Amino acid sequence: MAYDEILAGRVRDRLAGLPGISDKRMFGSLAFLLDGRLAVGVTGDDLMVRVGPDGADDALTRPGARLMEMGGRRMRGWVRVDGAELDDDVLTEWLGRARDFLETLPPR
């Protein structure tokens, strides 16, 4: 599956300047990593967001958010957000959720 170059550019622009940010093609998507840890990804025109197991229930109450599945299996701690919901403010909020979760992880 290809990823939406426009959405990928919007994500890249918002994450630019953060130390430790990189992007990498994975599984037909474009993944964005923070200090080597997967934070978000663009798949098709949707955003995959790592919110952590404790943040998933709250994240799923947001418009356009649904369980993230890959290969028919649920990805625990991840949600998939419909690209149609991702105006500038909403995209920034989702990126913040991913960063907030990653900050709870122990340093590598």
Side-chain angles (χ1 to χ4, degrees), residues 7-108:
L7 178 55
R10 292 173 61 211
V11 171
R12 190 176 285 115
D13 289 347
R14 278 164 184 73
L15 297 177
L18 289 177
I21 286 292
S22 61
D23 59 73
K24 179 179 183 178
R25 287 182 183 223
M26 299 175 80
F27 312 112
S29 302
L30 184 65
F32 291 86
L33 298 91
L34 178 60
D35 295 326
R37 291 184 164 143
L38 202 51
V40 298
V42 178
T43 184
D45 62 353
D46 293 343
L47 186 70
M48 303 178 298
V49 184
R50 187 174 184 188
V51 294
D54 293 338
D57 287 340
D58 180 61
L60 289 169
T61 67
R62 306 286 299 148
R66 62 189 184 277
L67 294 174
M68 179 64 202
E69 291 185 9
M70 189 172 276
R73 297 184 65 193
R74 180 174 181 214
M75 305 269 306
R76 186 180 151 120
W78 286 84
V79 295
R80 184 172 181 148
V81 183
D82 186 327
E85 298 291 335
L86 297 171
D87 66 25
D88 289 340
D89 291 337
V90 172
L91 177 58
T92 299
E93 178 185 333
W94 282 111
L95 297 176
R97 282 178 181 249
R99 286 181 48 212
D100 289 347
F101 170 69
L102 290 178
E103 289 175 1
T104 69
L105 299 176
R108 287 186 152 179

